[in-house]
Amino acid sequence: MQTLSEENYLKTIFILSQQKGEKITPTAIAEALGNNPASVVDMLRKLSDKKLVEYDKGKGVRMTEKGGNSAMQVVRRHRLWEVFLKEKLGYTWDEVHDIAEQLEHVQQEELADRLDKYLDYPTYDPHGDPIPQANGKMAKLFKTTLAEIPQGKVCKIVAVKDTTNAFLKYLQKLSIGIGTKVKVIEKIPFDDSIVILVNNQVNTTVSKKFAESVLVE
């Protein structure tokens, strides 16, 4: 059984490996967790001793099968709790993450399976992240950002990369959520900002950072 801190590290490495698909460095882990690289290296050594990761300074961090399975279970619990909190308890999508961060560490063996069944086996959490199934399979991981959509094209918001309260509340202010249709009206070369039409109703200008934080299809 892993400690709470070890589970957080495994979850972070799992998510980074999905997003980047390349060498995961202690610096990337430190940035994601808000820790310093030296403490990250210390934890990686502990995880390596437990055969949960393989760490090489030149090659970066790679999870073992044992570590990957443990990480996936934490991610699964977290994302199922987010669905439960939003759909059953009425929390908004900017509120569920911090609460799920606490609930994800409840390791009662059957809890995730019962929660999954109760929610009718959801495939995505409220932020559009795929929820691992009990057998380890996952739905499609969205990777195309709004910034990549050509001018004049229409797309649909399917996920968000930035799940901070500030960004999610900003999306709500713009009436943008999962499933919202957006048309790219104009791309402005000066600062890479984008003029978008939201649900065929309101034109608004968003920054490059915004466009790179929203995933579409």
Side-chain angles (χ1 to χ4, degrees), residues 42-78:
D42 287 341
M43 176 58 79
L44 291 176
R45 292 193 179 113
K46 292 178 183 178
L47 295 175
S48 181
D49 289 342
K50 290 189 173 185
K51 311 298 182 185
L52 296 167
V53 304
E54 294 176 355
Y55 171 57
D56 180 276
K57 190 173 181 180
K59 297 179 181 179
V61 183
R62 188 183 73 84
M63 254 188 296
T64 63
E65 182 178 355
K66 178 182 177 183
N69 289 335
S70 295
M72 188 171 291
Q73 291 307 313
V74 180
V75 171
R76 181 176 181 234
R77 292 194 298 264
H78 180 99

Side-chain angles (χ1 to χ4, degrees), residues 29-41:
I29 298 170
E31 289 175 353
L33 288 171
N35 294 344
N36 66 72
S39 64
V40 170
V41 171

Side-chain angles (χ1 to χ4, degrees), residues 146 174 176 182-186 194-198 202-206 210:
L146 178 60
L174 297 178
I176 293 176
V182 171
K183 182 176 182 179
V184 178
I185 301 297
E186 182 182 3
I194 300 176
V195 180
I196 59 174
L197 177 66
V198 180
V202 180
N203 271 21
T204 189
T205 302
V206 297
F210 179 103

Side-chain angles (χ1 to χ4, degrees), residues 88-130:
K88 304 302 180 181
L89 298 186
Y91 285 92
T92 57
W93 72 339
D94 58 292
E95 296 174 319
V96 297
H97 177 76
D98 288 345
I99 304 172
E101 283 280 296
Q102 301 171 58
L103 294 170
E104 71 185 26
H105 299 292
V106 179
Q107 297 184 4
Q108 203 283 330
E109 192 169 334
E110 293 183 6
L111 181 59
D113 290 339
R114 292 192 180 197
L115 188 59
D116 198 12
K117 182 178 179 181
Y118 176 69
L119 295 170
D120 197 24
Y121 306 103
T123 51
Y124 292 95
D125 74 10
H127 308 115
D129 292 315

Side-chain angles (χ1 to χ4, degrees), residues 139-178:
K140 175 184 177 181
L141 180 68
F142 300 111
K143 293 187 176 182
T144 303
T145 68
L146 178 60
E148 299 173 68
I149 301 301
Q151 184 170 304
K153 294 293 184 180
V154 177
C155 56
K156 181 175 71 172
I157 307 297
V158 290
V160 289
K161 292 174 67 176
D162 184 345
T163 58
T164 60
N165 287 358
F167 185 62
L168 294 175
K169 286 180 178 178
Y170 182 44
L171 287 171
Q172 286 180 308
K173 184 177 179 180
L174 297 178
S175 298
I176 293 176
I178 303 301

